[in-house]
Amino acid sequence: MAQKASRVIGWSLLGLSIMGAVAEICTSWNVLSIFLGRDFALFLSFAVFHFSVSDNLCIYETLINETERYWQLISSDDLYARPFWFFLYVLSLYASFGLFLPFSYMHTYFQTSLFLYVHFTKYHVIIPHLVSWLIIPAVMTVTINVFNKICSLLTDLCRHCITEHRQMQSLPLYETIQQSLSWTICAMLTLSFTESVYLSLQYGVAHYRIMHQLSATLGFANEMLLITAISLATFHTMSAVSRHLVACCFKPLHRSYGVLHYVRSHSAFVLSVQAWGYFTVLVRSFVRGLQTTNIGQGFHLVVVNTFDKGRRNPAAYQIFKQYDAEQLPAPKKMPQETKKSDAPDWVSVFYDRIFR
């Protein structure tokens, strides 16, 4: 019975992921066809579709993991002021699903309607009803992603409060400079992208209200809570991106050796899947960049999205999850002089993440 229920849930999540990806295809095809033509845009939209389905599945998986982590910490006997942490969790739920969800819905409604009215004008009567149901999975997935990031920050803060009695070890000067630079870049990116995300949402919301002749606005408290939710979600993304970006700049030879070691030790099948996955990441990042060129964040968004989504490579991650480690081609044996301990730590972590 439990196996049947889990199978039903799995297929339901896959269906929601596909429906959410369909809504993103509408936007990507509309944007790409303007710059690249309809035929080439169709192929690239397929790459965006594959990425979106894989990324949506990763978001659902993260929701389960982050919720489990947070409730394990909040149930710990070492945690003080448990009602306060429960209040923060409920507040994050309200900010995500009560405030961000309607804004995201109105923004996505306008973007999807724009595509359908341009390419399917003869169906203008049913387009409003079609869009209303088509974008629900996509909007829900985006909202869950925002909630995951806020919940992850709460989990880290909660863990820090539990272990605050432990003394922080002093870092070497090299690592101190690296961390300071990482946090500086993170703060700058967070401020910049919080503004761009909020302005982009407001742009879509304003057009949605014109289309439906609505004039309702949020109160000051809800407006500030919405901006705070966007800021926290953006901060979570930018902190990971800035750390990865600084690490690439500070250790280029180390990274290059890791990539070379990975290429030499894996089969053509593994490398092909990885290459396709990174291609879908680049195409989707390019589309997101084109969507925000009007507010001056196009190139920045391409770089940030590439670093952010490339860390996990959702398309390759989901493909490899369908195989057992025994079914995949085994890594090639390296010469005796190249020992396992010589490989960078991130290579082994990346390998374990793929085949776990």
Side-chain angles (χ1 to χ4, degrees), residues 165-213:
H165 60 278
R166 300 178 184 176
Q167 295 182 352
M168 295 292 293
Q169 297 180 353
S170 58
L171 297 175
L173 178 61
Y174 176 80
E175 294 186 12
T176 302
I177 295 175
Q178 185 174 345
Q179 284 197 1
S180 301
L181 181 60
S182 175
W183 284 114
T184 302
I185 295 175
C186 175
M188 295 173 61
L189 290 176
T190 300
L191 292 174
S192 176
F193 276 89
T194 297
E195 180 185 14
S196 63
V197 170
Y198 182 71
L199 290 178
S200 179
L201 284 176
Q202 287 283 14
Y203 177 79
V205 169
H207 283 81
Y208 176 87
R209 287 173 175 167
I210 293 174
M211 292 169 62
H212 295 270
Q213 298 181 353

Side-chain angles (χ1 to χ4, degrees), residues 137-283:
V139 172
M140 186 61 66
T141 303
V142 172
T143 306
I144 290 175
N145 191 32
V146 170
F147 174 73
N148 287 343
K149 294 176 180 180
I150 298 175
C151 188
S152 179
L153 290 176
L154 287 177
T155 302
D156 294 339
L157 183 60
C158 185
R159 182 184 291 110
H160 175 74
C161 292
I162 293 176
T163 60
E164 63 180 354
H165 60 278
R166 300 178 184 176
Q167 295 182 352
M168 295 292 293
Q169 297 180 353
S170 58
L171 297 175
L173 178 61
Y174 176 80
E175 294 186 12
T176 302
I177 295 175
Q178 185 174 345
Q179 284 197 1
S180 301
L181 181 60
S182 175
W183 284 114
T184 302
I185 295 175
C186 175
M188 295 173 61
L189 290 176
T190 300
L191 292 174
S192 176
F193 276 89
T194 297
E195 180 185 14
S196 63
V197 170
Y198 182 71
L199 290 178
S200 179
L201 284 176
Q202 287 283 14
Y203 177 79
V205 169
H207 283 81
Y208 176 87
R209 287 173 175 167
I210 293 174
M211 292 169 62
H212 295 270
Q213 298 181 353
L214 300 175
S215 58
T217 57
L218 292 175
F220 177 77
N222 286 333
E223 193 85 13
M224 294 304 299
L225 188 58
L226 174 64
I227 295 175
T228 302
I230 295 174
S231 300
L232 291 176
T234 306
F235 172 79
H236 181 274
T237 299
M238 298 308 163
S239 61
V241 170
S242 60
R243 286 196 303 268
H244 189 69
L245 182 62
V246 170
C248 289
C249 295
F250 270 67
K251 301 178 181 179
L253 296 178
H254 181 84
R255 294 276 173 176
S256 300
Y257 173 79
V259 172
L260 179 62
H261 174 80
Y262 188 82
V263 170
R264 291 176 59 193
S265 61
H266 287 81
S267 65
F269 170 76
V270 174
L271 297 177
S272 299
V273 172
Q274 288 289 339
W276 169 252
Y278 284 121
F279 176 73
T280 63
V281 170
L282 287 172
V283 173

Side-chain angles (χ1 to χ4, degrees), residues 25 28-29 32-33 36-50 276 279-280 283:
I25 275 187
S28 64
W29 190 15
L32 291 172
S33 61
L36 304 175
R38 301 187 64 175
D39 295 335
F40 196 51
L42 182 62
F43 168 72
L44 295 182
S45 295
F46 172 74
V48 175
F49 176 79
H50 188 192
W276 169 252
F279 176 73
T280 63
V283 173

